[in-house]
PDB file of all heavy atoms in Angstrom:
ATOM      1  N   LEU E  30      -2.826  -8.283  19.652  1.00 37.00           N
ATOM      2  CA  LEU E  30      -1.820  -7.404  18.989  1.00 37.00           C
ATOM      3  C   LEU E  30      -2.627  -6.476  18.005  1.00 37.00           C
ATOM      4  O   LEU E  30      -3.460  -6.896  17.333  1.00 37.00           O
ATOM      5  CB  LEU E  30      -0.863  -8.157  18.213  1.00 37.00           C
ATOM      6  CG  LEU E  30       0.134  -9.059  19.119  1.00 37.00           C
ATOM      7  CD1 LEU E  30       1.130  -9.806  18.256  1.00 37.00           C
ATOM      8  CD2 LEU E  30       0.879  -8.203  20.087  1.00 37.00           C
ATOM      9  N   PRO E  31      -2.159  -5.206  17.932  1.00 37.00           N
ATOM     10  CA  PRO E  31      -2.707  -4.296  16.934  1.00 37.00           C
ATOM     11  C   PRO E  31      -2.198  -4.636  15.599  1.00 37.00           C
ATOM     12  O   PRO E  31      -1.380  -5.538  15.387  1.00 37.00           O
ATOM     13  CB  PRO E  31      -2.251  -2.956  17.383  1.00 37.00           C
ATOM     14  CG  PRO E  31      -0.918  -3.242  18.093  1.00 37.00           C
ATOM     15  CD  PRO E  31      -1.101  -4.571  18.723  1.00 37.00           C
ATOM     16  N   ARG E  32      -2.597  -3.854  14.559  1.00 37.00           N
ATOM     17  CA  ARG E  32      -2.095  -4.078  13.205  1.00 37.00           C
ATOM     18  C   ARG E  32      -0.551  -3.755  13.071  1.00 37.00           C
ATOM     19  O   ARG E  32      -0.099  -2.727  13.601  1.00 37.00           O
ATOM     20  CB  ARG E  32      -2.846  -3.051  12.271  1.00 37.00           C
ATOM     21  CG  ARG E  32      -4.348  -3.414  12.147  1.00 37.00           C
ATOM     22  CD  ARG E  32      -5.067  -2.377  11.395  1.00 37.00           C
ATOM     23  NE  ARG E  32      -6.442  -2.690  11.264  1.00 37.00           N
ATOM     24  CZ  ARG E  32      -6.991  -3.255  10.192  1.00 37.00           C
ATOM     25  NH1 ARG E  32      -6.090  -3.575   9.185  1.00 37.00           N
ATOM     26  NH2 ARG E  32      -8.169  -3.658  10.150  1.00 37.00           N
ATOM     27  N   VAL E  33       0.068  -4.629  12.469  1.00 35.00           N
ATOM     28  CA  VAL E  33       1.528  -4.487  12.238  1.00 35.00           C
ATOM     29  C   VAL E  33       1.871  -4.735  10.793  1.00 35.00           C
ATOM     30  O   VAL E  33       0.979  -5.068   9.964  1.00 35.00           O
ATOM     31  CB  VAL E  33       2.408  -5.284  13.217  1.00 35.00           C
ATOM     32  CG1 VAL E  33       2.285  -4.763  14.542  1.00 35.00           C
ATOM     33  CG2 VAL E  33       1.943  -6.738  13.165  1.00 35.00           C
ATOM     34  N   LEU E  34       3.222  -4.917  10.491  1.00 31.00           N
ATOM     35  CA  LEU E  34       3.526  -4.989   9.097  1.00 31.00           C
ATOM     36  C   LEU E  34       3.250  -6.390   8.497  1.00 31.00           C
ATOM     37  O   LEU E  34       3.422  -7.439   9.305  1.00 31.00           O
ATOM     38  CB  LEU E  34       5.000  -4.630   8.879  1.00 31.00           C
ATOM     39  CG  LEU E  34       5.352  -3.209   9.305  1.00 31.00           C
ATOM     40  CD1 LEU E  34       6.855  -3.022   9.058  1.00 31.00           C
ATOM     41  CD2 LEU E  34       4.578  -2.239   8.438  1.00 31.00           C
ATOM     42  N   GLN E  35       2.906  -6.457   7.175  1.00 31.00           N
ATOM     43  CA  GLN E  35       2.575  -7.788   6.662  1.00 31.00           C
ATOM     44  C   GLN E  35       3.756  -8.710   6.586  1.00 31.00           C
ATOM     45  O   GLN E  35       3.662  -9.925   6.752  1.00 31.00           O
ATOM     46  CB  GLN E  35       2.080  -7.535   5.220  1.00 31.00           C
ATOM     47  CG  GLN E  35       1.463  -8.800   4.634  1.00 31.00           C
ATOM     48  CD  GLN E  35       0.777  -8.487   3.310  1.00 31.00           C
ATOM     49  OE1 GLN E  35       1.033  -7.461   2.708  1.00 31.00           O
ATOM     50  NE2 GLN E  35      -0.101  -9.381   2.876  1.00 31.00           N
ATOM     51  N   ALA E  36       4.932  -8.143   6.407  1.00 31.00           N
ATOM     52  CA  ALA E  36       6.128  -9.017   6.350  1.00 31.00           C
ATOM     53  C   ALA E  36       6.509  -9.644   7.624  1.00 31.00           C
ATOM     54  O   ALA E  36       7.347 -10.541   7.699  1.00 31.00           O
ATOM     55  CB  ALA E  36       7.356  -8.147   5.840  1.00 31.00           C
ATOM     56  N   VAL E  37       5.989  -9.187   8.799  1.00 32.00           N
ATOM     57  CA  VAL E  37       6.260  -9.681  10.032  1.00 32.00           C
ATOM     58  C   VAL E  37       5.377 -11.016  10.287  1.00 32.00           C
ATOM     59  O   VAL E  37       4.168 -10.952  10.259  1.00 32.00           O
ATOM     60  CB  VAL E  37       5.988  -8.739  11.195  1.00 32.00           C
ATOM     61  CG1 VAL E  37       6.224  -9.457  12.542  1.00 32.00           C
ATOM     62  CG2 VAL E  37       6.920  -7.627  10.949  1.00 32.00           C
ATOM     63  N   LYS E  38       6.042 -12.073  10.589  1.00 32.00           N
ATOM     64  CA  LYS E  38       5.278 -13.439  10.771  1.00 32.00           C
ATOM     65  C   LYS E  38       4.964 -13.474  12.363  1.00 32.00           C
ATOM     66  O   LYS E  38       5.913 -13.539  13.131  1.00 32.00           O
ATOM     67  CB  LYS E  38       6.124 -14.627  10.404  1.00 32.00           C
ATOM     68  CG  LYS E  38       6.362 -14.713   8.940  1.00 32.00           C
ATOM     69  CD  LYS E  38       7.269 -15.871   8.549  1.00 32.00           C
ATOM     70  CE  LYS E  38       6.449 -17.126   8.820  1.00 32.00           C
ATOM     71  NZ  LYS E  38       7.208 -18.320   8.427  1.00 32.00           N
ATOM     72  N   MET E  39       3.632 -13.320  12.631  1.00 34.00           N
ATOM     73  CA  MET E  39       3.339 -13.268  14.011  1.00 34.00           C
ATOM     74  C   MET E  39       2.899 -14.713  14.526  1.00 34.00           C
ATOM     75  O   MET E  39       1.873 -15.019  15.009  1.00 34.00           O
ATOM     76  CB  MET E  39       2.190 -12.304  14.220  1.00 34.00           C
ATOM     77  CG  MET E  39       2.461 -10.911  13.805  1.00 34.00           C
ATOM     78  SD  MET E  39       3.928 -10.365  14.679  1.00 34.00           S
ATOM     79  CE  MET E  39       3.366 -10.354  16.328  1.00 34.00           C
ATOM     80  N   GLU E  40       3.856 -15.622  14.402  1.00 37.00           N
ATOM     81  CA  GLU E  40       3.575 -16.971  14.931  1.00 37.00           C
ATOM     82  C   GLU E  40       4.395 -17.188  16.184  1.00 37.00           C
ATOM     83  O   GLU E  40       5.477 -17.580  16.225  1.00 37.00           O
ATOM     84  CB  GLU E  40       4.080 -17.997  13.906  1.00 37.00           C
ATOM     85  CG  GLU E  40       3.349 -17.948  12.583  1.00 37.00           C
ATOM     86  CD  GLU E  40       3.965 -18.726  11.481  1.00 37.00           C
ATOM     87  OE1 GLU E  40       5.051 -19.418  11.689  1.00 37.00           O
ATOM     88  OE2 GLU E  40       3.357 -18.890  10.364  1.00 37.00           O
TER      89      GLU E  40
END
Side-chain angles (χ1 to χ4, degrees):
L30 296 180
R32 294 173 177 260
V33 291
L34 301 179
Q35 189 171 20
V37 177
K38 296 179 66 177
M39 299 306 296
E40 299 171 356

